[in-house]
Amino acid sequence: MRMHKYLLIAGLATLLTACGSEPASVVKEFYDDIGNGKIQEAKQFVNPSVQRKYGEDVDAGLEIRMREYNNAGGYKGVTLSDENSNGDNYSAKATIHTGSGKDIVEPVRMLKVNGKWVM
């Protein structure tokens, strides 16, 4: 029971942090979670409408990304460039750094839904 309370408190703290965060910090946390194998934590940053539409495919997609990073020598961090924020919309270019030195570059688009930045 004690562990259950701890996990609940940790989950709520993460969620509350994301609600008030700037989009760039949410993007970094999203990629850090994937890179560290925390798929369910990363999933909280996926737009709820996308989760409803694609269901378990969202988990599968995040796991594929995690394996891609692992196959490239492991996740070593993310940097953002070309950031553009306009009210409730945010876009950037994410460069995911891996242990092999091979960078993976992908576009990021976010919007604010009910006060929370999501992808």
Side-chain angles (χ1 to χ4, degrees), residues 4-5 9-11 16-18 20 34-35 48 55 58 62 65 72 82 87 92 97-98 101 108 111 113 115-116:
H4 186 283
K5 285 181 184 179
I9 291 169
L16 291 173
T17 299
I34 294 171
V58 172
L62 296 173
R65 282 186 174 183
D82 301 333
H97 308 288
T98 66
V108 173
L111 63 134
V113 175
K116 179 182 173 187

Side-chain angles (χ1 to χ4, degrees), residues 18-40:
C19 289
S21 296
E22 293 297 318
S25 63
V26 173
V27 171
K28 290 179 180 183
E29 188 171 349
F30 173 77
Y31 283 106
D32 287 349
D33 286 344
I34 294 171
N36 292 310
K38 299 177 180 178
I39 301 305
Q40 292 306 307

Side-chain angles (χ1 to χ4, degrees), residues 3 8-9 11 15 31-32 37 41-42 46 58 60 64 83 89 100-101 107 116:
M3 178 60 91
L8 178 62
I9 291 169
L15 182 59
Y31 283 106
D32 287 349
E41 288 86 343
V46 176
V58 172
I64 288 168
E83 294 179 80
N89 295 289
S100 70
K116 179 182 173 187

Side-chain angles (χ1 to χ4, degrees), residues 94-115:
T95 303
I96 297 95
H97 308 288
T98 66
S100 70
K102 174 190 170 213
D103 288 341
I104 301 166
V105 180
E106 56 190 39
V108 173
R109 289 193 176 87
M110 299 180 72
L111 63 134
K112 196 178 260 190
V113 175
N114 297 323

Side-chain angles (χ1 to χ4, degrees), residues 20-91:
S21 296
E22 293 297 318
S25 63
V26 173
V27 171
K28 290 179 180 183
E29 188 171 349
F30 173 77
Y31 283 106
D32 287 349
D33 286 344
I34 294 171
N36 292 310
K38 299 177 180 178
I39 301 305
Q40 292 306 307
E41 288 86 343
K43 189 176 173 182
Q44 74 178 334
F45 302 116
V46 176
N47 191 325
S49 65
V50 171
Q51 291 187 46
R52 282 190 298 275
K53 183 174 182 177
Y54 295 103
E56 292 180 10
D57 289 343
V58 172
D59 293 278
L62 296 173
E63 289 173 8
I64 288 168
R65 282 186 174 183
M66 180 187 68
R67 284 194 297 274
E68 180 182 8
Y69 305 159
N70 288 340
N71 290 339
Y75 173 81
K76 299 300 178 193
V78 63
T79 55
L80 300 174
S81 60
D82 301 333
E83 294 179 80
N84 184 20
S85 185
N86 183 5
D88 290 345
N89 295 289
Y90 172 85
S91 64

